[in-house]
Amino acid sequence: DRSALFIERARARFPECEFVQTDWDHLPDERFDVILLASALHYADDQPALIARLVERLTEDGTLVLEMGIASGPGSEWVEVERGIDTRLFPTMKKLHEVLRGHAWKWMGRSVAQAGDPVSRHVVHVSRRRPVAYLLMQPPGYGKSSLASGLFPAAQVPVVSGDQSIAGIARGTIAVGERLHETAARDYSPFHIDAVVGRIFDAGLGAELVDVWAGLAGERDFALDMFIPTEYQAEVEAGFAARGYLPVRLQWERVGPPLLGEDRLAVEADAYYATLQAAGRPPELGE
């Protein structure tokens, strides 16, 4: 608080706590698990900027507790409210949605009403918004690429192709560590991506592969279009969570007749590959 009197009273009541006499323009250079801003947001000249500055001071999983007035009104606007001592701006609920769009937040409920309050008071919890990793890890033939190309570009969410990234790692066009490159390049075939991925994870290089995908995504919301064998999917999710992402695994059932069995599919793929080689044409990525 910026009031020396209030700080003195607080220290007398809670001598085991540390109190700092300052204002929100001169915050301690620290990170906090909880920040409480109680019935004061309306005093800020730039309320959205103050919220953003406080969220930046949170730890990775910290919470900003806003106890604030929210004005009535159907639109997204700042409402000028006359109070007993001054006139202040309060957001409508739609305006609050707009202000908090870049953060993770939840309306917790109404606060305690006090006599003379011109607007109703509410409690809102705000935290850092993690980038989302939408994980499409279903087996071949489930329509991953069709879903990814039809859904995410319209929402301006980039799609990272796992097949293309594995090919780039194997061919040396994506810079990675020597072990990852050699593991991916050994017996690489676009028809056996699952075997390559399994070999990478079995070699303990799964974390480095997740780093590659996160780098290709630019550390923002993205979708990963990549078949990951079931036994490695939890490791992929944990890898993205450790890098600050919110991993969201998309699950759905395949529509249509079942695919060929794995043994039969391998025979057909090898036969097709041999046909292309006999014709003197290498298979294109994604064929």
Side-chain angles (χ1 to χ4, degrees), residues 105-162:
W105 67 282
K106 180 176 178 60
W107 176 79
M108 304 303 295
R110 290 183 180 274
S111 183
V112 177
Q114 295 188 15
D117 272 351
V119 294
S120 60
R121 293 151 60 109
H122 301 254
V123 176
V124 178
H125 286 186
V126 187
S127 58
R128 293 173 175 270
R129 185 188 182 280
R130 294 170 175 259
V132 181
Y134 299 97
L135 305 177
L136 290 78
M137 302 186 290
Q138 301 284 69
Y142 273 63
K144 295 188 299 300
S145 297
S146 297
L147 282 173
S149 63
L151 178 63
F152 294 103
Q156 297 184 330
V157 174
V159 177
V160 171
S161 168

Side-chain angles (χ1 to χ4, degrees), residues 91-257:
T92 61
M93 183 59 80
K94 284 190 176 181
K95 174 56 73 173
L96 184 63
H97 277 257
E98 181 181 313
V99 169
L100 298 179
R101 185 175 297 154
H103 308 290
W105 67 282
K106 180 176 178 60
W107 176 79
M108 304 303 295
R110 290 183 180 274
S111 183
V112 177
Q114 295 188 15
D117 272 351
V119 294
S120 60
R121 293 151 60 109
H122 301 254
V123 176
V124 178
H125 286 186
V126 187
S127 58
R128 293 173 175 270
R129 185 188 182 280
R130 294 170 175 259
V132 181
Y134 299 97
L135 305 177
L136 290 78
M137 302 186 290
Q138 301 284 69
Y142 273 63
K144 295 188 299 300
S145 297
S146 297
L147 282 173
S149 63
L151 178 63
F152 294 103
Q156 297 184 330
V157 174
V159 177
V160 171
S161 168
D163 287 2
Q164 292 181 10
S165 63
I166 296 294
I169 292 170
R171 295 166 180 166
T173 58
I174 294 178
V176 295
E178 184 176 350
R179 281 190 65 217
L180 179 56
H181 166 65
E182 290 179 349
T183 303
R186 188 169 68 250
D187 299 325
Y188 169 77
S189 166
F191 302 109
H192 300 292
I193 293 290
D194 56 336
V196 178
V197 171
R199 193 161 61 240
I200 289 172
F201 279 91
D202 288 341
L205 298 169
E208 189 174 348
L209 182 57
V210 171
D211 278 339
V212 171
W213 291 329
L216 292 172
E219 299 188 357
R220 55 175 176 160
D221 290 359
F222 81 103
L224 176 65
D225 173 11
M226 176 78 228
F227 167 52
I228 304 292
T230 304
E231 61 267 33
Y232 309 118
Q233 291 184 6
E235 186 175 346
V236 171
E237 289 189 70
F240 279 115
R243 288 157 182 77
Y245 283 88
L246 173 63
V248 176
R249 187 192 304 194
L250 279 68
Q251 298 278 116
W252 66 95
E253 295 298 324
R254 184 180 183 277
V255 177

